[in-house]
Amino acid sequence: MKVSIVTQIRRQLKEEWIPSLYRLRVRSGRTRRISLPIPKRENRPEILHTLLGIELKVGCRRFACPDLATARYLLVFARIGCNEVAVPYDISKLSVIADELETAWQKTNLLMRDSPAASRRKVLASIRDQIADIGAGNAMPEFNTKTRFKRPK
């Protein structure tokens, strides 16, 4: 029985499969949705340091990022061609998650290195579809806390 390239790579990566990391590390917490109107294919994004701050460049489009950790995080999803992703609301966790996603991308890329272009496209399409199935969540996180202080009687 022949196993598909997607299944082989997913089995080899185990917990480091990008959609698994996304589900466990990102979507399990409070997030906000970011839309990236980019092509649904493998892209070659770049992080630019400009006078106005940090930007993520994908093709001819540029997206302003509040900090380097956010740009590194979005870079992984821009490579894959994801149009909407969830970004952790807690910026203190963002850098660690970006490191994990970059490591997972490099391992995925190494496993796809000797694959033909059609197989590479299948793997990236599978990752993109699984991330879309997990979802990007709300545009802004919900804050379920009372904002008014009531004095005790």
Side-chain angles (χ1 to χ4, degrees), residues 83-113:
N83 291 119
E84 284 192 338
V85 294
V87 177
Y89 196 74
D90 185 358
I91 60 171
S92 65
K93 297 178 182 175
L94 193 57
S95 184
V96 174
I97 294 170
D99 288 342
E100 291 174 1
L101 286 169
E102 285 177 337
T103 301
W105 166 254
Q106 292 302 327
K107 288 181 179 182
T108 304
N109 204 22
L110 283 172
L111 292 172
M112 294 187 300
R113 180 183 55 210

Side-chain angles (χ1 to χ4, degrees), residues 40-145:
K40 287 188 174 186
R41 59 174 167 78
E42 185 173 8
N43 296 296
R44 298 197 186 280
E46 308 175 52
I47 295 175
L48 303 175
H49 298 271
T50 68
L51 293 174
L52 299 175
I54 297 171
E55 295 180 345
L56 180 65
K57 181 181 175 194
V58 184
C60 296
R61 309 242 7 212
R62 290 182 176 202
F63 305 96
C65 296
D67 56 17
L68 184 59
T70 304
R72 288 178 42 235
Y73 176 86
L74 291 175
L75 181 84
V76 173
F77 295 105
R79 279 184 183 131
I80 299 166
C82 296
N83 291 119
E84 284 192 338
V85 294
V87 177
Y89 196 74
D90 185 358
I91 60 171
S92 65
K93 297 178 182 175
L94 193 57
S95 184
V96 174
I97 294 170
D99 288 342
E100 291 174 1
L101 286 169
E102 285 177 337
T103 301
W105 166 254
Q106 292 302 327
K107 288 181 179 182
T108 304
N109 204 22
L110 283 172
L111 292 172
M112 294 187 300
R113 180 183 55 210
D114 298 329
S115 302
S119 296
R120 186 177 182 88
R121 281 192 298 272
K122 284 181 187 176
V123 171
L124 294 177
S126 176
I127 292 171
R128 193 170 38 248
D129 292 344
Q130 288 180 30
I131 289 170
D133 289 345
I134 295 167
N138 298 327
M140 288 299 295
E142 294 180 20
F143 295 97
N144 297 329
T145 59

Side-chain angles (χ1 to χ4, degrees), residues 16-31:
E16 290 183 307
W17 177 244
I18 293 173
S20 298
L21 282 173
Y22 181 71
R23 180 184 297 108
L24 296 172
R25 301 282 287 144
V26 178
R27 291 296 291 141
S28 62
R30 183 179 284 173
T31 60

